[in-house]
Amino acid sequence: MRSLLLVAHGSRRAESNAEIGRLAARVAERAGARFDVVEHAFLELAEPLIPDGVSRCLERGATSVSVVPYFLARGTHVAEDIPEQVDIARAAHPDADIRVTDYLGTSDALVDVLVRLADEA
Amino acid sequence: MRSLLLVAHGSRRAESNAEIGRLAARVAERAGARFDVVEHAFLELAEPLIPDGVSRCLERGATSVSVVPYFLARGTHVAEDIPEQVDIARAAHPDADIRVTDYLGTSDALVDVLVRLADEA
């Protein structure tokens, strides 16, 4: 049973964090049969943090977790901080298949989204 | 003649800013006939700033500029700072059609990109 964990930076603004929760709900709607469970987590400043987000996925019956970094640039957060938090989750759940996907900013499909945004304006 | 101005936050890390320049080049490739000119600009910390980015589009022959905020959350930058900078550009170029599109994070298509990223991992 596969799960998707959307990971955002986290903000001091509650509304920004709530936006991530709503985004995760939209992802769940669109994931169809590909992901049975969709959760979200934050790198810092908001809860749940990444290890707790992984635990939630597993508690809901997932055996694999795809951690998707909702980040636009490959900074320290993507390169080091997220993998470090995922390693903590792996140590807590050695039987689960926990992997980190490419971050959002690298996606080719993102390029088309930008053109479409401009075209619809 | 239409142009697309991709606007990112700007970073102290030169590599992050260079990543935006490369992204704009990929957008230009994919924009096809829809946008004759694609440029990028930054809200702060890096150059060109937004008014200069708009000027570059117009210097290259554009008569309209679609400013696309490359931002994931609707914070102060999206709600206030970018429109403020665009107003400065409008005052400098009263004959140009300069508009701000939805920011990236609101796009429905983004949801599909996230599912696809996870699915390919």
Side-chain angles (χ1 to χ4, degrees):
Chain A
M1 191 169 163
R2 300 170 77 201
S3 67
L4 187 164
L5 181 64
L6 183 69
V7 170
H9 185 277
S11 170
R12 286 187 183 80
R13 290 175 68 243
E15 174 51 28
S16 291
N17 299 327
E19 200 175 336
I20 299 301
R22 290 194 296 271
L23 177 63
R26 286 162 69 200
V27 170
E29 280 169 20
R30 302 285 298 182
R34 286 175 288 180
F35 294 94
D36 308 281
V37 171
V38 176
E39 290 280 350
H40 68 282
F42 301 99
L43 178 60
E44 59 188 32
L45 302 176
E47 296 193 328
L49 295 172
I50 293 172
D52 291 333
V54 168
S55 295
R56 284 189 188 191
C57 290
L58 300 175
E59 281 160 15
R60 289 180 60 192
T63 49
S64 79
V65 183
S66 293
V67 177
V68 182
Y70 190 59
F71 284 73
L72 290 178
R74 188 182 161 74
T76 312
H77 291 326
V78 167
E80 297 172 22
D81 301 339
I82 291 177
E84 194 176 292
Q85 291 300 307
V86 169
D87 279 343
I88 292 171
R90 280 199 191 101
H93 307 284
D95 293 337
D97 174 17
I98 308 171
R99 59 188 74 185
V100 183
T101 76
D102 278 341
Y103 64 103
L104 174 64
T106 182
S107 168
D108 270 333
L110 192 65
V111 175
D112 292 323
V113 174
L114 293 169
V115 175
R116 206 179 315 172
L117 268 179
D119 217 18
E120 286 165 358
Chain B
M1 192 169 162
R2 300 171 78 202
S3 67
L4 188 165
L5 181 64
L6 183 69
V7 169
H9 184 277
S11 170
R12 286 187 183 82
R13 291 175 66 242
E15 174 50 28
S16 291
N17 299 328
E19 201 174 334
I20 299 302
R22 290 194 295 271
L23 176 63
R26 287 162 69 201
V27 170
E29 279 170 22
R30 302 285 297 184
R34 286 174 289 180
F35 294 94
D36 308 281
V37 170
V38 176
E39 289 281 347
H40 67 282
F42 301 98
L43 178 60
E44 59 188 32
L45 301 176
E47 297 193 327
L49 295 172
I50 293 172
D52 291 333
V54 168
S55 295
R56 284 190 188 191
C57 290
L58 300 176
E59 281 160 15
R60 289 180 61 191
T63 50
S64 79
V65 184
S66 293
V67 176
V68 181
Y70 190 60
F71 284 73
L72 291 178
R74 187 181 162 75
T76 312
H77 292 325
V78 167
E80 297 173 22
D81 301 339
I82 291 177
E84 194 176 293
Q85 291 300 308
V86 168
D87 279 343
I88 292 172
R90 280 200 190 101
H93 308 283
D95 293 337
D97 173 16
I98 307 170
R99 60 187 73 185
V100 183
T101 76
D102 278 341
Y103 65 103
L104 175 63
T106 91
S107 168
D108 271 332
L110 191 66
V111 175
D112 291 324
V113 173
L114 293 169
V115 175
R116 206 180 313 173
L117 268 178
D119 217 19
E120 286 166 358

